[in-house]
Each structure stands twice: as C-alpha cells, then as structure tokens.
Amino acid sequence: MNEYLPWPAIHSDVEWILNAPSLLTRSEELWQMPVPENIDYSIIWQNLETITSRRSGKLGLYFETLVHAMFMAHPRFELLANNIIIRHNGRTLGEVDLLLQDLETDEVIHLELALKFYLGLTGPGEPATRFIGAGLHDFLHRKLHRLYHHQLVLPNIAKQVNGWPDHLPFPDKHRLWIPGRLYLPEGIEFKSMAGAVPDTPWRLNPKCEVSYWITAEDKALPKGAKPLQKAAWLSGHDSPGKANIRLPAQFILPDSKLPVYVLPTGWHTQALQKIKAYQQSL
C-alpha cells in the first residue's frame, strides 16, 4: 500500500513561512525570520505525526506547530516557552505566544504570531480599514490595533501587576511575526491600498503577497480550478484529499502561482455594509 507522505507539502509550507514577506512594514517591532543556510529538517520530521495531524485541522494551529518545530531546528534560537497565560486576580489578561533566547545576542525575545488573510475593497476611508475577513466578522485594522496596543505590550502589563511567571526571564524585545496574504478585487493595483494603519506605526507592506478575489456571480472559474484545503493556503502546495468547496473558499488556478479567493453571491454588498459600519465606529 502506497500511503501518501505529506513531506513535499510540509516542506513547501516551511519554506513559505521562512520566506513570506510581512504584511506590514516600517517598524522595529516587526519580525523577519533569520533564514539559516541549512535548516535541519530531521528535527522537524521528529514532529511529523503532530504536524501531519494538524495540517488537516485549524490553519492557525498548524502554522504555530510548524513555527515551534522550526525554532527547535534553528541553530540560533532556543524556544524557552510558548502559550504563556497571563493572569491577575483570577482574571486572564491574555496569552504570550512565544519566548525565545537568541543564542547570538543572548537576548530574550517575546514573539507574537499572526498568520492573516484579508480581502480588500475599494471605497472611502483609510485603506487599512477596508480589509475584512471572508466571514465578514474580522477586520484587519481592528486586529492590528489590538496586536500593537495589547499583545505586544502584554509582558509589560504582566510585570506591572506582578503577573509575569517567576520561572521565566523577562523579554528584552517584543516582536510581531505577521505573514499572510491580501486579496484585492480583480484588476485593482495594490499601491492604491498600501496605506498607513491608523493608531499604529505600521503601513501595509507594498511587497507583501497579494492575490485577488471574485464573487460567484462575477464569472465562472476557468477549467482546471482546484479548491484548496486550508493548509494549502500557505504555499499553494496541496495534498491528496477532498477540499471543502463551500464558498467562501480558495482555489488555485492553472495559470496562477497564488490562491484566488472565491466568495458567495452577495458577499460584496454585505462586505461594503460591514466595512462602512466599522469605519463609523472608529
């Protein structure tokens, strides 16, 4: 029996994570993974059973699992702790994603992970406020605002209330790792959307990965369009198995290197209404 081994797909996902540009630019808080000359994949494959299992589950958890394995294999960093729950007076204040030791500088780094996929719409208002999740509940600007004003300063908040764990060193640096992809209406150039993110020092990165979105009523997908499992949203390298074709969904097209987002009929109108209401709430 020839059982499928997902190493090529996982290898492609690791390479994508190592090299994908940040969604943001212009800030020292933004993390760019130092790519080693030779990453020891044998260490990553030691976690293959867990990685394979999570590749068929939630994308965020799969991404975190790969990142943890990558840091275990990286010669420059030691993973000190992950998913550190911060509490005060019986109340949970938040969760610190990763605590790393930089073996070259001896610095302790607090690293927040945020893998994000958002769809942009043209219209009034700051460009960063016009990116929304496919489910119409999540806004890029709201997420970035919380990352900057809460998640990145969470260790400082914990220290102020004596809530930082005694057994862990306090970080010297706080960094955000935010790879992902933005999707625009077909035919719209990203330079028209690459503006500042209000209430943060960040801008949308003009060098980030950008694809496009269409709705089911716009046009028929070309022959050979293939729906992707969620894990394949990273590198576009899919593995055998039936992908969910309920819209919204991402497809890889015969002539495209990046996935295309396909939204259900009526999505555009609903998204415009949601974005308008969000902008009015700011």
Side-chain angles (χ1 to χ4, degrees):
M1 177 179 177
N2 293 324
E3 183 180 359
Y4 174 76
L5 295 178
W7 294 353
I10 294 173
H11 185 279
S12 295
D13 295 340
V14 170
E15 291 295 314
W16 183 88
I17 292 172
L18 283 171
N19 295 287
S22 172
L23 292 184
L24 304 172
T25 188
R26 293 192 182 180
S27 175
E28 66 175 9
E29 294 99 349
L30 299 174
W31 173 271
Q32 182 63 49
M33 183 69 158
V35 181
E37 291 185 5
N38 293 297
I39 190 166
D40 189 351
Y41 277 93
S42 66
I43 295 178
I44 295 178
W45 298 151
Q46 290 175 13
N47 300 288
L48 186 59
E49 184 176 350
T50 299
I51 292 171
T52 302
S53 172
R54 291 183 175 172
R55 197 173 195 271
S56 59
K58 292 184 177 180
L59 183 58
L61 183 57
Y62 171 60
F63 169 67
E64 290 179 9
T65 303
L66 277 183
V67 168
H68 293 174
M70 288 162 57
F71 276 119
M72 297 293 290
H74 202 297
R76 178 171 168 175
F77 298 99
E78 179 182 354
L79 179 57
L80 301 178
N82 61 277
N83 305 116
I84 307 164
I85 304 297
I86 303 298
R87 296 185 176 90
H88 176 61
N89 289 338
R91 185 168 70 94
T92 299
L93 302 181
E95 181 177 309
V96 172
D97 285 343
L98 294 175
L99 198 66
L100 307 169
Q101 182 88 42
D102 187 329
L103 301 178
E104 288 188 7
T105 66
D106 205 36
E107 293 175 308
V108 176
I109 301 170
H110 157 219
L111 181 60
E112 286 296 312
L113 305 176
L115 174 69
K116 294 299 171 183
F117 300 86
Y118 286 96
L119 301 103
L121 283 78
T122 57
E126 293 285 346
T129 67
R130 291 190 267 116
F131 282 88
I132 191 170
L136 300 176
H137 302 295
D138 186 21
F139 297 90
L140 174 62
H141 172 258
R142 178 191 290 164
K143 180 63 178 180
L144 296 180
H145 188 273
R146 179 167 178 79
L147 283 167
Y148 182 72
H149 291 281
H150 183 76
Q151 288 300 121
L152 282 176
V153 297
L154 186 56
N156 295 329
I157 296 172
K159 189 175 183 180
Q160 291 170 4
V161 299
N162 295 319
W164 185 255
D166 293 334
H167 66 287
L168 294 175
F170 192 78
D172 302 297
K173 291 181 177 179
H174 311 270
R175 295 291 183 264
L176 170 64
W177 192 2
I178 183 166
R181 191 175 301 117
L182 300 178
Y183 300 80
L184 300 181
E186 190 175 14
I188 299 297
E189 294 187 14
F190 183 60
K191 64 182 180 181
S192 66
M193 304 284 284
V197 180
D199 303 317
T200 79
W202 301 325
R203 298 183 65 85
L204 299 182
N205 184 4
K207 296 182 179 180
C208 72
E209 279 196 5
V210 178
S211 186
Y212 67 92
W213 61 262
I214 59 174
T215 58
E217 70 263 37
D218 289 337
K219 65 178 184 180
L221 284 169
K223 184 178 180 180
K226 179 183 178 184
L228 294 176
Q229 298 171 346
K230 269 207 168 182
W233 290 12
L234 302 182
S235 64
H237 190 138
D238 214 350
S239 53
K242 185 177 180 180
N244 181 7
I245 58 173
R246 292 177 57 190
L247 300 183
Q250 293 198 37
F251 289 73
I252 196 75
L253 307 184
D255 59 347
S256 175
K257 293 182 180 180
L258 297 176
V260 172
Y261 233 126
V262 182
L263 293 311
T265 299
W267 183 90
H268 189 189
T269 300
Q270 295 178 58
L272 287 173
Q273 294 170 348
K274 293 283 188 177
I275 289 172
K276 182 179 179 180
Y278 176 71
Q279 290 175 333
Q280 291 174 343
S281 72
L282 297 177

